[in-house]
Amino acid sequence: MNPSVDSLSFAFSKLNPAILALGGGAIAALIVLMIVLLVRSGQLRREQADDAAMRATEADGRMAELLKIQAEMHGRMSTMAEVFGSRQAELNQVINQRLDGMTQRVSTTISEQTKSTHENLQRLQERLAVIDAAQNNIQTLAKDVVGLQAILSNKQTRGAFGQSRMETIVADGLPMGAYTFQHTLSNGSRPDCTIRMPNGAPPLVIDAKFPLEAWNAIRDAGGPDGAKVASQQFRRDMETHIRDISEKYLIQGETQDTAFMFVPSESIFAEIHENFEPIVQKAHRARVVIVSPSLLMLSIQVIQAVLKDQRMRAQAHVIQGEVVSLMDDLGRLDDRVRKLQSHFSMAQKDVDMILTSADKLNKRGAKIEALEFEGDAPAQRAKESDASQKSVDSRTGLLKLRVVDDE
């Protein structure tokens, strides 16, 4: 036997039995405690293993659900990309059509403006050519004035010149049949011109004779005495002429109560009214009106307006019918303009709807681009967002769509 065991046995034999029982109970309690701790430790490990298994199962379920959601989102993104591409293609086609139409209209307008400018320049060149020809004619006319003075020095040719000028004014202002030259009255006198008045009224008499010799004598007088004598002679000739017109051409019931005395010069007419007022007053008392070329032209225009008014009154029913037809045409034009306006309104509404759809598509695309997935880096998302924005800009050309999330 081992000496250590023997010594231990000897030592135990010397111990008190109570102490040994107490020591055995402590050892047993210690053993029980150790067993309990081991059991609890095993239960804890089993619970931890169960929890770990449950977490692993939940993680697998969540991962499967995330994969499923990812697949669904991938499908939706593909569908949205296809829809967005088709809508973007339609929008680009519509915009291109609109741009082509606008380009064609602008080209047509520019062509018309160019053509109009060319025509205006051509007409301007023609007018400049006419002005050049007129300038050449002025020189010829200056030579003819000398010949005209020679013509006016003759009494018969001078009277023919005044009558010719009066006839030209009357013929230019009145229609054929509204006047008569050298008409014989009941007393055998033949005035230079008679103008038919409306509503069966007697005609108006115009006389073109004028004492030009006496007037030229006033201009050629060398001093005050000569001018005074020439003025008295001119006054007597004018009074004689006025008396002849009043006695020969003013016939009760056959002519108007007033006759015109034509003076073929505006300057002579002004000189008479300024320096020979008694002659004008005497002419008024004799119911003779002294008229210049401009006053005769104005009187002819008034008579023409009166004659036109008479013809319009005679054709009032025809004018009324034309007005009714004009109102019908105006009503049809108004209806067509309103229809055209409705077409333009509908076209504008379609363009607004297209732009609204494009805005919605851009908003949805921006939402898709803004989605963050696990593991995506912010820099990568920023690059993808810039690439998508550049792609949208390249597809729309010059059309810039700004996406604003207002939902």
Side-chain angles (χ1 to χ4, degrees), residues 104-325:
Q104 185 177 2
R105 286 195 293 271
V106 170
S107 300
T108 303
T109 303
I110 292 175
S111 299
E112 292 177 354
Q113 290 293 334
T114 303
K115 183 179 179 181
S116 177
T117 303
H118 181 70
E119 291 177 354
N120 290 333
L121 289 175
Q122 186 176 2
R123 286 196 295 268
L124 180 60
Q125 292 177 355
E126 293 176 356
R127 291 180 180 177
L128 289 175
V130 172
I131 290 173
D132 292 337
Q135 185 176 3
N136 295 328
N137 293 331
I138 289 174
Q139 297 177 355
T140 305
L141 184 61
K143 297 178 181 179
D144 294 338
V145 169
V146 178
L148 180 61
Q149 290 178 352
I151 292 172
L152 294 179
S153 62
N154 189 296
K155 183 176 181 180
Q156 293 180 352
T157 55
R158 184 177 63 250
F161 170 74
Q163 182 176 352
S164 176
R165 190 172 185 185
M166 180 269 298
E167 291 178 356
T168 302
I169 295 174
V170 174
D172 290 341
L174 294 177
M176 292 295 296
Y179 57 88
T180 304
F181 298 127
Q182 302 298 324
H183 175 70
T184 304
L185 300 178
S186 60
N187 58 3
S189 60
R190 298 178 63 185
D192 295 329
C193 178
T194 55
I195 298 176
R196 181 175 60 86
M197 302 300 290
N199 300 323
L204 176 67
V205 175
I206 301 176
D207 185 82
K209 298 180 181 64
F210 179 74
L212 187 59
E213 293 86 354
W215 179 260
N216 290 332
I218 296 174
R219 294 300 178 210
D220 297 336
D225 296 335
K228 183 177 180 181
V229 173
S231 299
Q232 292 176 355
Q233 182 63 38
F234 176 75
R235 185 179 299 107
R236 287 193 297 268
D237 292 342
M238 285 290 295
E239 292 176 354
T240 301
H241 194 189
I242 292 171
R243 184 172 59 254
D244 292 339
I245 294 174
S246 177
E247 293 177 354
K248 295 179 180 180
Y249 301 149
L250 298 182
I251 302 174
Q252 182 69 28
E254 186 176 354
T255 61
Q256 288 287 328
D257 295 337
T258 302
F260 284 176
M261 177 181 176
F262 179 69
V263 177
S265 175
E266 297 289 342
S267 60
I268 296 176
F269 175 81
E271 189 74 20
I272 291 173
H273 280 74
E274 183 177 357
N275 298 325
F276 297 94
E277 183 65 23
I279 295 177
V280 177
Q281 297 295 332
K282 186 173 183 178
H284 286 173
R285 290 193 297 269
R287 293 175 298 177
V288 176
V289 179
I290 302 174
V291 295
S292 64
S294 60
L295 287 178
L296 179 61
M297 187 178 300
L298 178 61
S299 302
I300 293 300
Q301 290 177 356
V302 173
I303 295 173
Q304 182 183 12
V306 174
L307 293 175
K308 184 177 179 180
D309 181 70
Q310 181 189 12
R311 291 194 299 271
M312 290 181 63
R313 290 178 182 275
Q315 300 295 328
H317 61 285
V318 178
I319 297 174
Q320 186 176 5
E322 292 295 331
V323 170
V324 173
S325 301

Side-chain angles (χ1 to χ4, degrees), residues 34-87:
M34 292 177 66
I35 292 171
V36 171
L37 291 174
L38 291 173
V39 170
R40 288 185 178 179
S41 177
Q43 290 178 354
L44 181 61
R45 284 196 296 273
R46 285 194 300 273
E47 290 178 357
Q48 291 178 352
D50 292 338
D51 291 338
M54 185 179 297
R55 291 178 181 176
T57 302
E58 291 178 356
D60 292 338
R62 291 180 179 178
M63 182 61 68
E65 185 177 357
L66 287 175
L67 292 175
K68 182 179 179 181
I69 292 174
Q70 185 178 3
E72 291 178 355
M73 290 300 297
H74 186 270
R76 291 180 181 179
M77 289 175 64
S78 299
T79 304
M80 290 297 295
E82 293 177 359
V83 172
F84 181 77
S86 61
R87 294 293 179 85

